Amino acid sequence: MATEDDTPLDQVISLLELLAADASIPRLAAAPAPDAAKDLVLRVGSARDEHRRRESAQSALLDTARELASEKNPAVVLDAIVRRARTLLGTDLAYLTLYDPDAGDTFMRVTDGSVSAEFQSLRLSLGVGLGGLVASSHKPYWTADYSTDQRFSHTTTIDSGVGDEGIVAICGTPLIVESNFVGVLFAANRSPRPFSRSEVALLGNLAALAAVAIVQTRALADAQAALSALSTAHQTVRQQAVGVERAAAAHDRFAHVVLGGGGVDDVTQALVELLGGWAVLFDDAGGRRGSFGPVPSPEGEDDHLLQHPVVDRSRHDVGRLVEDDGVHAIGVIAAHEQLGTLVVGLPGTLEEADQRTVERAAVVTALVLLFERQADETRQTARNRIVADLVGARGSRDDRTGYLRDAGLDPRAPICLLVVRGGAATQHRALALTVSTTLGEGTLVGTHDDEIIALVPGDDPDALARALAERLTRTPPITVGGTGPIGDVDGLPTAHEEAARTVGALIALGRAGTGAAATELGFAGLIVGADPDVQAYVRAVLGPVLAYDHERGSDLVGTLAAYFAASSSPRHAAQELHVHVNTVAQRLGRVASLLGDDWQHPDRALEIQLALRLRRLLAPPFASA
């Protein structure tokens, strides 16, 4: 190393050797050498250092560009930009604000080295503060001491946030791509520091890279959103296509059922085979018309299913499918009339295509029920004509006998005739269909003169009438009168007249809504019956007493006659019979044990007195029966 004692030439040579050895500027300045040579070497050294700084900056920018290009996540890109800005400029902190076009200002998006929550929540209006000025002018600005720099519009909010962070020196440069302002990139120090133009340029280059990266990531995000929307649309179209295919399959299946003459059972079976689960069709009266699959209640025990909330809701939401806890229901509607309710069991909420399938099943079911109703009405019209011919004795005997055979009745077997009365005249057609359905096959039901007439195989008209009345419980009440058995087709007109009188008697006696044969009406049966059997009536009323007298040779019947002749006075009856009053009391006690304790009730007493009088009118053989 050269000394003060060396010649100027040796000092210059030594200085050049230090420069060649990459000595620092301070070391070159301290070496002894002529002033002119030293100034030249110092300029060369400074140029060398500047070149190296530029190379380092360029290398850092390239590294930053590669890092930003490889990152697709916008949040990570912004973090990388701010972190690299702080590293390259060697500042205490760096931060980035993004432009909000809706609010017309910039907001703090990312910080690196910041410790103040107040500072991190700042929003900078355009033109306010250093950042606001950069945002409005789209030019870089820097200051070594922000708080005293009057070039900037200071506000209490911004100055408070900057002061809370402890920032003194700030450099900000805009992020711009194709004239589009994106945001501002900042580098800041907590102590006074001048920013060189090369540092401002470096921050500007980094901001340019950052702006491009931000726009690219936004474009990528938009593209991904578009792809996602396209994928969603494709999925929707695919689902719709699948739904169309399933709807077409359901349409074909239901059309096959209808065109093949299928019934409601076939519709419910087709629905279950298309969707799974189970299905039940209830008619408007709550009876099960058709079902398929593992229905949760056996036929005849449908109360809890009919009381399910969806069944009631379906009656109010007409034509709409409703769901509750995996049970779906929809009303079966035709011409504003609810023909029934279709209940379907499937887990969860149905897809739209499946909902349309259930709704289509309800429509098809309504069509099938209408077809059945029309067919039933056609058949019923023919039955009405046949019944009218039978009870009116129209046509030859052979024709009328053939009618019975065609209806499934054996003319040689006993037949009972029932007359059903009740309800409005406009409801007779529907009531006739109900009676026919209730009685089932092998019967003949028709309407005649505002009455419903049924011919039923059997020999107990009272039991048949009572059973039918019990099954036809409704408002207004349905009353049924029966007669029979009828052994000949020629006896039908008379039987019809008797059954009609029996119905009238039931209603007149306050027994509307019940069923009975004339023989069970007591003395009224003698009046309405076509061939009253007085002997049978007497036996029905006095039978136990007559049998007792016959077996024991007593005369309880005579005691009863004397008792009623004496105005129900035991004492006067005893005088008439020439016995003690206690004897009369004992005999009447025996009568009570034979006829029942209610034998003195006015209605029962009237029947007994009438039977006693009729017995006296009978021939002697019958009188002792």
Side-chain angles (χ1 to χ4, degrees):
M1 182 177 178
T3 64
E4 295 292 340
D5 297 332
D6 291 336
T7 63
L9 180 59
D10 290 334
Q11 292 176 343
V12 171
I13 292 172
S14 178
L15 185 60
L16 291 174
E17 289 175 347
L18 289 173
L19 180 62
D22 205 17
S24 65
I25 294 299
R27 186 174 179 185
L28 292 174
D35 292 340
K38 184 180 289 188
D39 289 342
L40 180 59
V41 168
L42 289 175
R43 288 201 301 273
V44 172
S46 297
R48 177 203 63 192
D49 290 348
E50 181 64 25
H51 179 70
R52 286 178 176 173
R53 281 194 298 272
R54 289 180 179 178
E55 283 185 346
S56 176
Q58 292 297 326
S59 177
L61 288 172
L62 288 175
D63 291 342
T64 301
R66 282 193 293 268
E67 183 179 351
L68 297 180
S70 64
E71 184 55 61
K72 306 303 181 185
N73 189 331
V76 176
V77 168
L78 298 180
D79 289 337
I81 291 169
V82 173
R83 185 174 62 253
R84 188 57 58 90
R86 182 185 178 193
T87 301
L88 291 178
L89 272 70
T91 55
D92 294 329
L93 70 156
Y95 51 98
L96 183 145
T97 60
L98 291 180
Y99 178 57
D100 183 352
D102 294 331
D105 61 6
T106 61
F107 62 93
M108 199 73 69
R109 179 62 179 82
V110 181
T111 64
D112 187 53
S114 173
V115 295
S116 170
E118 180 184 354
F119 176 74
Q120 294 167 12
S121 63
L122 283 178
R123 296 185 73 98
L124 306 177
S125 300
L126 300 185
V128 177
L130 185 148
L133 185 58
V134 173
S136 62
S137 65
H138 296 183
K139 295 179 181 180
Y141 281 89
W142 62 95
T143 178
D145 189 352
Y146 172 78
S147 63
T148 61
D149 197 328
Q150 298 304 312
R151 291 178 300 163
F152 312 113
S153 175
H154 291 268
T155 66
T156 302
T157 302
I158 295 177
D159 287 354
S160 175
V162 171
D164 191 58
E165 188 65 62
I167 295 175
V168 176
I170 309 175
C171 178
T173 185
L175 279 66
I176 299 176
V177 176
E178 297 179 352
S179 301
N180 294 319
F181 173 65
V182 179
V184 180
L185 179 62
F186 297 88
N189 249 28
R190 294 189 176 90
S191 59
R193 167 187 169 165
F195 290 93
S196 66
R197 290 191 175 276
S198 62
E199 290 176 322
V200 175
L202 177 60
L203 188 63
N205 290 334
L206 186 60
L209 288 175
V212 172
I214 291 173
V215 172
Q216 287 178 341
T217 54
R218 286 181 176 176
L220 178 61
D222 292 341
Q224 290 174 338
L227 286 174
S228 177
L230 183 61
S231 176
T232 302
H234 174 73
Q235 180 69 13
T236 301
V237 171
R238 189 185 68 81
Q239 291 177 348
Q240 290 176 345
V242 172
V244 169
E245 292 178 359
R246 294 170 68 176
H251 174 79
D252 293 343
R253 184 65 186 278
F254 292 139
H256 178 75
V257 169
V258 174
L259 296 176
V264 291
D265 278 326
D266 300 297
V267 176
T268 55
Q269 178 177 348
L271 179 60
V272 171
E273 290 176 350
L274 287 167
L275 302 182
W278 53 266
V280 179
L281 173 66
F282 294 106
D283 60 24
D284 57 345
R288 185 184 293 197
R289 285 294 310 274
S291 63
F292 195 78
V295 182
S297 62
E299 188 168 1
E301 300 178 12
D302 292 320
D303 288 348
H304 82 280
L305 193 56
L306 287 168
Q307 294 170 3
H308 198 285
V310 294
V311 175
D312 183 62
R313 285 168 52 196
S314 69
R315 296 190 182 101
H316 296 87
D317 296 340
V318 179
R320 290 184 53 197
L321 181 66
V322 294
E323 183 271 337
D324 188 327
D325 195 23
V327 178
H328 311 258
I330 184 172
V332 178
I333 310 296
H336 306 293
E337 178 186 358
Q338 179 148 352
L339 305 179
T341 303
L342 181 61
V343 184
V344 180
L346 284 168
T349 301
L350 295 181
E351 296 180 4
E352 184 175 356
D354 294 339
Q355 293 180 20
R356 300 292 85 79
T357 297
V358 176
E359 292 170 353
R360 185 175 288 107
V363 173
V364 173
T365 300
L367 290 175
V368 172
L369 290 176
L370 283 178
F371 293 157
E372 291 181 353
R373 174 184 289 183
Q374 291 173 353
D376 288 341
E377 290 180 350
T378 300
R379 288 191 293 269
Q380 190 59 52
T381 299
R383 293 191 192 105
N384 295 344
R385 185 175 62 254
I386 292 172
V387 167
D389 289 346
L390 289 172
V391 300
R394 291 193 289 265
S396 67
R397 175 186 174 85
D398 291 341
D399 288 343
R400 287 179 281 134
T401 302
Y403 294 157
L404 293 179
R405 289 196 183 96
D406 293 341
L409 292 166
D410 185 356
R412 297 168 300 178
I415 298 173
C416 293
L417 186 146
L418 308 179
V419 169
V420 181
R421 189 179 298 173
T426 56
Q427 299 176 335
H428 283 180
R429 183 184 295 270
L431 182 57
L433 292 173
T434 302
V435 171
S436 181
T437 302
T438 303
L439 293 175
E441 297 293 332
T443 62
L444 178 60
V445 179
T447 59
H448 178 66
D449 292 340
D450 294 331
E451 291 178 336
I452 297 168
I453 301 170
L455 298 177
V456 186
D459 57 5
D460 189 346
D462 184 70
L464 292 172
R466 283 188 286 106
L468 181 59
E470 290 173 358
R471 298 179 66 181
L472 295 178
T473 55
R474 61 175 65 191
T475 302
I478 303 300
T479 308
V480 183
T483 187
I486 307 163
D488 188 276
V489 69
D490 291 331
L492 290 174
T494 302
H496 167 240
E497 294 174 358
E498 179 178 334
R501 289 195 298 268
T502 301
V503 171
L506 285 170
I507 296 173
L509 293 173
R511 293 174 58 181
T514 64
T519 55
E520 302 300 319
L521 295 182
F523 74 88
L526 299 176
I527 300 173
V528 302
D531 185 16
D533 189 344
V534 177
Q535 180 183 357
Y537 174 74
V538 172
R539 282 199 298 264
V541 177
L542 300 176
V545 177
L546 292 172
Y548 185 90
D549 285 348
H550 180 73
E551 292 174 0
R552 291 170 173 76
S554 57
D555 189 20
L556 293 181
V557 172
T559 301
L560 272 175
Y563 174 72
F564 284 118
S567 301
S568 302
S569 170
R571 182 170 62 84
H572 292 158
Q575 293 175 356
E576 178 68 22
L577 296 172
H578 306 290
V579 296
H580 195 276
V581 68
N582 290 341
T583 301
V584 172
Q586 291 174 358
R587 293 177 181 178
L588 294 180
R590 176 61 63 182
V591 168
S593 67
L594 294 171
L595 299 182
D597 293 335
D598 64 339
W599 70 276
Q600 296 191 76
H601 186 277
D603 291 342
R604 186 80 184 279
L606 176 61
E607 295 276 357
I608 294 172
Q609 293 181 70
L610 180 60
L612 290 170
R613 291 178 180 271
L614 290 174
R615 178 175 177 274
R616 286 161 53 188
L617 297 176
L618 292 174
F622 299 114
S624 62

